[in-house]
């Protein structure tokens, strides 16, 4: 039973995740039934709300942008054998980086300020991830525990700063003053309007392109570069890495820095692309959804884009669903995320065995 | 600050440390057997919801407690199935438990009561009465769990075996004792204790369930467990210390201290997390978890 289950590569990368996602949706359907609603109606509303209208699609892609970044963040660390559950904290600090850059350099023109804001997000996210990375690499503290603690430290810190330091004096809400107008990343409908094409307005902004570029860059890094190779070696066998002349400590810190920088993309999309100010809890638990996205996408950028799209659909469709059927709240997405993490991450063996049993013998023999 | 104030402060420190203590002991049982448990938060949350709902429906806080424990044990067994039978990643499973609990309690709460995920307010017998010195039975149950945990884990054959499973499961297996059986037992005990912790939150301390009412207490309990270096009596100390810090932070709001000025509440709230990070970095002693914790046991290895 514990012998490794050999599966053809396509089954391993596509079929196993697909089966666990289908199973997750069946369980989610049971929850819908359990609270006395019709799961088929719910699914129809979900898909209509997220894909059927231009506006809905825009929102879906906006959320997808968020999930690509947090998914990539988890994936890069995962390749190095690290489980980074600190995406929330890293994105929160990235938001602080964005606010500090944008609100202190208001005199700069947009084409300089926007890249600086993105760098600020990446730098602060990276710094917040580097500390747990350093502690894991040099002091042997467990990355999971330290990133959990750093999530809470980040939330406590940001509350303090927003209430006492960064808040505009006349504003009652714990949030920074609005960012300078030239620092807003253009909305997609604005960009299209320049070319005379009219698309329905939504939160979707150019950060989506940055997310796709980041996915490509992560693919190049992980599968086509020396550093990526070193990261994967450390992830699969730290002792082999030492024999190969790779320093696991160095790679661990680098992987965490990259991971934190990627988590910063969440702050870019949410704050520079949409909110245009720093406010409390803009990360909204997406850092944890990133774990589900990365596990479902098999930590591969292409898989992450697909699973981000799925979670984007769930998130936007879930909002519409909550509007149509008040009994089903948006928390459904959190439930589905949790089930996917359980199925694709912790119960992987169960589904691999299931798929292996379904496979015809010759296919297994060829593998 | 006069002595009466000090007594009040210690009293509220005790109140605030009770859920931490029960959850921390839950983590102790689980991790001593070799199953890492970062799902303490989630189990507390489902317990808090189930307890409040059952107590509201039945009119008895004790039935609420049973429901809270039941819900928490179900989640503990899901974690156990993933971690023990399926040899899955225990941390991934714990994260899943936390997310599932947060989502499910909010959805079901909203669907049942339509009050934004809250349960209706509990009153009278739906809550735990003061039993002794103004504290409810749950407080004494949690406090009693400390010597019981210490005795059972440290002084009985069962406890010895359970600790051995967390250090060297292969040796226990060789002796003909079921590794899976011991680990399931430990995980279930953790479920019971998280059930007590969650019930205390919604039916003891407050009068009803609020979405996300655990608010990180499960993680503070985890911090306390590391701080106590996986031992029962120090766990009591760590939890009381963290509860006291919480009580102090509530008291200090808006009060200027001589020579220091106003201490930000957040600075005190950050202390448990900060202390854990520093402890884990080996600056103030070392924290060594049970050797086999987090590693699934594979018989043929």
């Amino acid at each position: 039973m514990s012998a490794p289950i050999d599966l053809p590569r396509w089954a391993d990368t596509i079929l196993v995740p697909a089966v666990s996602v289908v199973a997750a949706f069946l369980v989610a359907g049971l929850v819908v039934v359990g609270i006395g609603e019709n799961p088929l109606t719910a699914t129809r509303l979900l898909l209509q709300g997220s894909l059927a209208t231009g506006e809905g699609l825009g929102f879906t892609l906006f959320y997808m942008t968020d999930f690509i970044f947090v998914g990539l963040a988890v994936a890069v660390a995962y390749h190095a054998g690290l489980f980074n559950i600190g995406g929330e904290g890293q994105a929160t600090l990235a938001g602080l980086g964005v606010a500090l850059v944008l609100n202190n350099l208001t005199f700069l023109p947009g084409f300089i300020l926007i890249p600086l804001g993105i760098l600020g997000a990446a730098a602060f996210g990276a710094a917040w991830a580097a500390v747990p990375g350093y502690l894991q690499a040099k002091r042997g503290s467990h990355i999971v525990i330290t990133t959990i603690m750093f999530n809470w430290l980040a939330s406590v810190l940001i509350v303090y700063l927003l209430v006492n330091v960064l808040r505009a004096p006349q504003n009652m809400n714990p949030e920074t003053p609005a960012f300078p107008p030239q620092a807003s990343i253009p909305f997609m409908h604005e960009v299209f309007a320049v070319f005379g094409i009219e698309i329905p307005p939504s939160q979707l902004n150019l950060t989506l392109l940055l997310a796709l570029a980041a996915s490509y860059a992560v693919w190049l890094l992980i599968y086509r570069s020396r550093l990526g190779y070193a990261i994967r070696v450390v992830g699969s066998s730290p002792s082999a890495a030492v024999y190969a002349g790779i320093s696991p400590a160095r790679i661990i810190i680098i992987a965490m820095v990259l991971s934190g920088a990627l988590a910063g993309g969440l702050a870019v999309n949410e704050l520079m692309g949409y909110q245009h100010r720093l406010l409390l809890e803009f990360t909204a638990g997406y850092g944890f959804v990133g774990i589900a996205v990365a596990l479902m996408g098999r930590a591969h950028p292409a898989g992450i884009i697909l699973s981000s799209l799925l979670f984007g659909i769930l998130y936007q469709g879930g909002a519409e669903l909550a509007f149509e059927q008040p009994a089903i709240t948006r928390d459904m997405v959190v439930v589905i995320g949790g089930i996917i993490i359980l199925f694709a991450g912790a119960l992987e063996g169960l589904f691999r065995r299931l798929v292996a049993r379904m496979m015809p013998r010759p296919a297994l023999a060829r593998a | 600050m006069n002595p009466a104030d000090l007594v009040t402060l210690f009293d509220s420190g005790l109140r605030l440390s009770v859920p931490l203590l029960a959850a921390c002991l839950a983590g102790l049982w689980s991790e001593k057997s070799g199953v890492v448990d970062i799902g303490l938060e989630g189990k507390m949350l489902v317990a808090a919801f189930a307890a409040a709902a059952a107590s509201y429906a039945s009119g008895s806080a004790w039935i609420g407690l049973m429901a809270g424990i039941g819900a928490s044990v179900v989640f503990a067994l899901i974690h156990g199935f993933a971690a023990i039978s399926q040899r899955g990643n225990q941390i991934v499973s714990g994260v899943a438990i936390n997310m599932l609990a947060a989502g499910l309690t909010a959805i079901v709460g909203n669907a049942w009561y339509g009050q934004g995920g809250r349960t209706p307010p509990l009153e009278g017998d739906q809550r735990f009465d003061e039993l002794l010195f103004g504290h409810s039975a749950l407080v004494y149950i949690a406090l009693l769990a400390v010597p019981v945990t210490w005795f059972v884990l440290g002084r009985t054959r069962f406890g010895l075996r359970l600790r051995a499973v967390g250090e060297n499961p292969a040796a226990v297996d060789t002796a003909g004792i079921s590794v899976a059986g011991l680990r399931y037992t430990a995980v279930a005990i953790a479920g019971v204790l998280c059930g007590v912790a969650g019930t205390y939150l919604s039916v003891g301390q407050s009068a009803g369930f609020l979405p996300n009412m655990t608010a990180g207490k499960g993680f503070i309990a985890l911090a306390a467990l590391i701080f106590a270096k996986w031992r029962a009596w120090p766990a009591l100390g760590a939890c009381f210390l963290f509860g006291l810090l919480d009580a102090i932070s509530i008291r200090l709001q808006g009060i200027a201290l001589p020579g220091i000025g106003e201490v930000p509440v957040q600075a005190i709230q950050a202390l448990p997390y900060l202390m854990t990070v520093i402890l884990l970095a080996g600056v103030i002693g070392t924290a060594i978890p049970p050797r086999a914790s987090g590693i699934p046991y594979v018989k043929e290895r």
Side-chain angles (χ1 to χ4, degrees):
Chain A
M1 187 163 131
S2 61
I5 306 148
D6 286 320
L7 287 174
R9 193 151 169 258
W10 67 269
D12 204 32
T13 49
I14 299 168
L15 204 55
V16 175
V19 169
S20 39
V21 169
V22 170
F25 278 93
L26 289 179
V27 176
L30 287 180
V31 175
V32 174
V33 174
I35 57 177
E37 298 287 336
N38 184 339
L40 294 178
T41 319
T43 313
R44 185 174 56 77
L45 287 171
L46 191 107
L47 291 176
Q48 272 176 357
S50 58
L51 298 172
T53 65
E55 191 196 7
L57 186 63
F59 280 88
T60 298
L61 294 177
F62 172 79
Y63 293 123
M64 173 181 160
T65 310
D66 283 339
F67 295 136
I68 290 178
F69 280 119
V70 286
L72 289 175
V74 175
V76 167
Y78 196 77
H79 279 290
L82 302 164
F83 196 53
N84 176 17
I85 53 178
E88 283 287 292
Q90 288 143 23
T92 301
L93 261 282
L96 178 63
V98 167
L100 289 181
V101 169
L102 298 190
N103 278 343
N104 286 309
L105 304 173
T106 46
F107 51 88
L108 288 174
F111 68 92
I112 301 178
L113 197 50
I114 289 174
L116 282 180
I118 295 172
L119 283 181
F124 271 63
W128 201 248
V131 183
Y134 171 83
L135 292 175
Q136 159 98 21
K138 303 279 186 186
R139 312 288 314 192
S141 12
H142 201 293
I143 197 103
V144 169
I145 307 289
T146 18
T147 46
I148 290 177
M149 299 300 149
F150 266 62
N151 278 344
W152 291 99
L153 286 174
S155 87
V156 166
L157 177 68
I158 211 77
V159 169
Y160 173 74
L161 289 177
L162 283 181
V163 170
N164 298 300
V165 185
L166 296 171
R167 183 168 51 125
Q170 66 279 15
N171 194 345
M172 290 306 288
N173 297 329
E175 57 188 37
T176 61
F179 298 153
Q182 76 272 23
S184 301
I185 293 177
F187 285 111
M188 218 54 123
H189 56 264
E190 292 172 355
V191 178
F192 274 83
V194 171
F195 298 103
I197 307 165
E198 203 176 320
I199 59 168
S202 70
Q203 299 172 8
L204 181 65
N205 59 77
L206 284 182
T207 314
L208 174 63
L209 302 182
L210 185 66
L212 295 175
S215 309
Y216 182 64
V218 167
W219 179 79
L220 278 181
L221 170 81
I222 296 292
Y223 297 102
R224 289 290 181 272
S225 78
R226 282 173 81 103
L227 178 60
Y229 180 72
I231 287 177
R232 284 182 292 141
V233 172
V234 169
S236 48
S237 170
S239 51
V242 174
Y243 283 116
I246 300 167
S247 154
R250 192 174 143 263
I251 295 297
I252 284 172
I253 297 173
I254 292 175
M256 280 307 284
V257 164
L258 290 173
S259 177
L262 284 165
L266 176 63
V268 173
N269 189 42
E270 285 285 335
L271 302 182
M272 293 177 67
Y274 167 52
Q275 300 278 3
H276 304 143
R277 68 214 147 94
L278 172 61
L279 64 175
L280 283 183
E281 283 167 18
F282 71 92
T283 52
Y286 296 165
F288 296 111
V289 176
I291 299 166
V293 170
L295 286 173
M296 216 177 97
R298 286 296 172 111
H300 189 289
I304 287 169
I305 292 176
L306 286 177
S307 57
S308 296
L309 178 62
L310 180 75
F311 272 96
I313 291 172
L314 285 174
Y315 224 81
Q316 166 56 18
E320 294 287 316
L321 183 59
F323 185 70
E324 299 277 340
Q325 292 191 316
I328 305 173
T329 59
R330 255 175 130 173
D331 299 293
M332 201 62 193
V333 186
V334 179
V335 174
I336 296 176
I339 301 171
I340 286 179
I341 292 179
L342 188 67
F343 284 178
L347 292 174
E348 199 200 21
L350 190 69
F351 289 97
R352 287 179 62 91
R353 227 167 290 137
L354 206 70
V355 169
R357 205 165 298 159
M358 293 188 312
M359 296 289 288
R361 289 279 147 204
L364 282 180
R366 270 203 308 275
Chain B
M1 192 179 265
N2 59 45
D5 280 349
L6 211 59
V7 170
T8 326
L9 189 68
F10 273 82
D11 196 53
S12 58
L14 177 63
R15 275 171 217 281
L16 292 167
S17 65
V18 166
L20 299 181
L21 180 61
C24 181
L25 291 173
L28 179 73
W29 277 92
S30 181
E31 301 206 354
K32 274 287 181 193
S33 81
V35 180
V36 165
D37 194 353
I38 60 172
L40 294 173
E41 176 92 358
K43 279 181 282 190
M44 275 166 92
L45 198 59
V46 285
F49 176 75
S55 180
Y56 176 72
S58 69
S60 157
W62 288 99
I63 292 178
L65 175 64
M66 291 303 130
I69 289 177
S72 171
V73 168
V74 168
F75 271 61
L77 292 179
I78 294 175
H79 183 54
F81 177 70
I84 303 164
S85 299
Q86 294 300 320
R87 304 182 197 111
N89 186 319
Q90 300 173 6
I91 288 159
V92 175
S93 165
V95 171
I97 297 282
N98 288 337
M99 276 183 79
L100 264 178
L104 275 180
T105 51
I107 287 189
V108 177
N110 189 58
W112 284 359
Y113 306 109
Q115 299 181 8
R118 260 181 290 174
T119 58
L122 305 175
E123 48 201 20
D125 282 347
Q126 296 169 340
R127 297 189 59 205
F128 276 97
D129 284 335
E130 292 176 1
L131 186 73
L132 203 62
F133 306 120
H135 292 289
S136 68
L138 289 182
V139 176
Y140 297 100
I141 292 175
L143 287 176
L144 199 65
V146 178
V148 170
T149 299
W150 168 78
F151 180 80
V152 174
L153 279 179
R155 294 285 182 277
T156 65
R157 194 212 303 242
F158 167 68
L160 175 72
R161 287 175 172 177
L162 198 132
R163 282 183 294 136
V165 153
E167 297 287 342
N168 190 347
V172 176
D173 198 18
T174 312
I177 305 158
S178 164
V179 171
L182 279 169
R183 286 191 168 171
Y184 267 112
T185 313
V187 164
I189 293 171
V192 172
L193 284 164
C194 280
V196 173
T199 307
Y200 179 79
L201 283 178
S202 64
V203 182
Q205 207 172 25
S206 14
F209 175 85
L210 300 168
N212 234 338
M213 79 182 304
T214 45
K217 288 194 175 60
F219 296 110
I220 297 257
L222 198 64
L225 178 62
I226 295 163
F227 222 67
K229 298 179 182 173
W230 293 268
R231 290 171 301 172
W233 288 105
L236 175 64
C239 290
F240 184 67
L241 174 69
F242 290 172
L244 199 60
L245 280 176
D246 209 3
I248 291 172
S249 81
I250 294 166
R251 241 193 108 81
L252 278 185
Q253 278 182 31
I255 298 171
L257 292 182
I260 308 171
E262 195 178 315
V263 181
V265 182
Q266 290 83 10
I268 298 171
Q269 286 172 344
L271 271 178
Y273 306 116
L274 213 54
M275 283 155 69
T276 308
V277 171
I278 293 170
L279 178 78
L280 282 172
V283 178
I284 40 169
T286 47
I288 303 162
R291 203 143 47 98
S293 69
I295 307 163
Y297 177 61
V298 183
K299 210 182 178 83
E300 297 93 306
R301 183 140 55 196

